Amino acid sequence: QHVIQDMMVPFDTMAKSLDVFHEQYNIYPLWVCPYRAYSYKSKEAPHRCFLKEPENLIKGKEYEMYVDLGAYGVPRAVHEKRPFDIVKVSRAVESFVESVHGFQMLYADSYQTRDEFRTMFDHSHYDAMKKKYDSMGGFPEVYDKVCKKGQASWAQAATAKKNN
């Protein structure tokens, strides 16, 4: 029941995000760090970053301010021997973060479905490169590498290929 969670949320949602982290994880201290989410699109090229295009660029700037909230450790509920469902709690936090146009750091524990993961991140450039350089599907997608459900399904697929 150890939490490793890191989420980027727009700066203007920080107060509500802190409330969500408190309600769901109740782990302190939290990691709190500012982050500039840049727009990478131009007149010549679309946005080519795995992170979604920022929605609220600062006037005259090419970025939006986000804050990185990190919770690492054992939740208070676990310390107090109360029920704590890591999957349910983490999915609630992931859902909130996606709803405010935030995103999860890819090294954190993720319990999203493939569709939820694709909604949280911009796959347009990634999909084009995957189609061009991995047309045979020999390499796992990012989801398969970082999400708990993806890791399990990729491992099953690899085992099935090996046994055929």
Side-chain angles (χ1 to χ4, degrees):
Q1 299 288 15
H2 190 265
V3 172
I4 300 173
Q5 206 52 269
D6 224 329
M7 304 287 192
M8 297 283 202
V9 293
F11 192 77
D12 62 356
T13 68
M14 183 174 165
K16 177 62 178 159
S17 300
L18 288 169
D19 289 344
V20 168
F21 266 63
H22 175 76
E23 291 164 11
Q24 298 296 336
Y25 295 125
N26 202 358
I27 295 174
Y28 292 95
L30 291 176
W31 169 262
V32 179
C33 184
Y35 172 78
R36 287 182 179 177
Y38 283 89
S39 171
Y40 291 102
K41 73 178 178 184
S42 67
K43 292 177 184 173
E44 297 81 33
H47 183 69
R48 292 179 297 159
C49 185
F50 199 60
L51 305 180
K52 288 182 183 176
E53 175 73 13
E55 288 184 331
N56 300 304
L57 299 179
I58 295 173
K59 188 175 181 176
K61 305 289 184 185
E62 294 299 320
Y63 62 86
E64 177 180 2
M65 287 306 300
Y66 275 63
V67 64
D68 177 357
L69 298 178
Y72 317 101
V74 179
R76 175 166 288 172
V78 174
H79 283 294
E80 295 174 352
K81 309 237 184 291
R82 291 185 286 120
F84 181 79
D85 184 338
I86 187 82
V87 175
K88 181 179 174 186
V89 167
S90 294
R91 286 186 51 73
V93 173
E94 290 166 345
S95 178
F96 166 77
V97 168
E98 198 283 319
S99 77
V100 297
H101 203 263
F103 54 92
Q104 185 171 29
M105 300 306 291
L106 296 177
Y107 55 79
D109 290 336
S110 178
Y111 299 91
Q112 295 175 309
T113 65
R114 188 175 301 275
D115 289 341
E116 291 164 343
F117 185 78
R118 290 189 70 82
T119 299
M120 184 176 278
F121 295 97
D122 181 350
H123 284 72
S124 53
H125 186 68
Y126 174 82
D127 288 345
M129 294 298 101
K130 183 106 169 113
K131 183 178 179 181
K132 182 175 180 178
Y133 295 110
D134 187 29
S135 62
M136 303 291 287
F139 299 103
E141 291 188 21
V142 174
Y143 175 83
D144 300 316
K145 296 176 187 179
V146 301
C147 294
K148 299 288 187 185
K149 290 179 182 178
Q151 292 166 352
S153 67
W154 181 259
Q156 284 178 327
T159 301
K161 278 183 181 180
K162 197 183 256 188
N163 293 335
N164 287 336

